[in-house]
Amino acid sequence: MIAAMDIQVTKAERSKLQDIDLGNLPFGKYFTDHMLEAEYEGGKWTNVEIRPYQPLLLEPSLAALHYGQAIFEGIKAYKDEQGNAFVFRPYDNFRRFNISAARMNMPEVPEEIFIEGMRRLIAIDKNWIPGKKDHSLYIRPFMFSTDAMLGVRPSQTYKFLIILSPTGPYFPKPMNILVEERYTRAAPGGVGFAKNAGNYGGSLIAATEAQKQGYDQVLWTDASEHKWLQEVGMMNVFFVIDHTAITPSLDEGTILDGITRKSVITVLKEMGIPVEERRINIDEVIKAHKEGRLQEVFGTGTAATIAMIQKVKYKDDVMEFSEKDWTLSADIKKKLDAIRQGKSPDTHHWMLAV
Ligand code: COI
């Protein structure tokens, strides 16, 4: 157990906060004054330190750069009207982080470092939490292998860090989506459920090609038929068909067990909306759209929260939605925002006080 006093704290001499316009915050561009860093060596975590945000000095032979043992999480902190800081469901991210670690043959990070370290770091940089609608402090815990060695084997040493970024909406505009038929994000037995860096690196070419055709992101499909729907861009996806919310199930291990996804499922059930977690095929979606039964499509993720989708293209079929169609997604967003901003009771104990 790492007691609070075991975290060594070195404060920045000057805050960069005054140099930043908190009214104009592109996602992930600015970082707060401090970061947390810990090292894994000899089978245990040591040197847990909060220090001024700064570059790292790394070996060119660093294992993570060559063989990709690198994982991360995305979490958000908010403040209520009294200025108290809260983190949204960090224990779920903590558990998922260690599931990713296990899949990537990396050591687990203990709760004392992940949760308590995060709390202490946020407490130090609390003034950086933006108060504006759709804004938050994005928390990025990450771990990577640090052996200076080109042999392909699990590293013996690792670094764990947490950095913080005051941030605005990830997708400020409704999204246009292309159903992906060539590239694959994940297959059963692979790493699709893990939040490892390679999943994101491998997805970039598909998004770049979609962007050339005027789309923002792709809707990922299964590896063999390119028909069974998985995720949209970096988010989970929901289809509202006949007033039932349908989202791909986690059973095949090809999609991320999204914290926003499960929060949305809880909120939907509380609203009395039926929810189905199951396999869903693009042909079913197209058919529902042609029959006027597809009401809404939206993405969910920590960075994006709820992302409205205005267009989905599959072969020659184009499904379009307008602002008036986003009723359920807009309602859920309002409910989640109210909990996060401390305006509705936190009945599920999702908000952890800093
Ligand atoms: C998140 O929603 O936190 C994500 O993982 C997306 C991120 C890669 C920007």
Side-chain angles (χ1 to χ4, degrees), residues 32-53:
T32 66
D33 292 322
H34 300 90
M35 63 187 195
L36 177 137
E37 196 174 333
E39 280 163 13
Y40 183 85
E41 218 181 281
K44 58 180 194 321
W45 287 98
T46 58
N47 298 339
V48 189
E49 208 183 332
I50 291 176
R51 55 192 180 110
Y53 182 94

Side-chain angles (χ1 to χ4, degrees), residues 40-41 57-67 69 144-159:
Y40 183 85
E41 218 181 281
L57 189 63
L58 301 170
E59 289 285 341
S61 57
L62 191 90
L65 298 177
H66 299 269
Y67 306 125
Q69 270 186 302
F144 57 91
S145 55
T146 54
D147 277 7
M149 158 76 185
L150 295 183
V152 183
R153 56 157 172 76
S155 180
Q156 305 293 303
T157 60
Y158 295 84
K159 258 188 200 297

Side-chain angles (χ1 to χ4, degrees), residues 27 72-75 96 138 140 170 195 200 234-235 256 300-305:
F27 177 85
F72 70 94
E73 269 303 327
I75 311 174
R96 191 173 66 182
Y138 185 77
R140 172 55 65 89
Y170 196 97
K195 221 161 159 61
Y200 296 80
M234 308 157 301
M235 298 176 289
L256 200 72
T300 66
T302 299
T305 62

Side-chain angles (χ1 to χ4, degrees), residues 2-26:
I2 304 261
M5 62 196 172
D6 291 329
I7 301 180
Q8 194 193 317
V9 178
T10 312
K11 293 268 181 77
E13 278 170 19
R14 174 187 171 274
S15 174
K16 299 170 295 183
L17 187 54
Q18 66 235 37
D19 310 335
I20 284 165
D21 173 9
L22 283 181
N24 176 24
L25 292 172

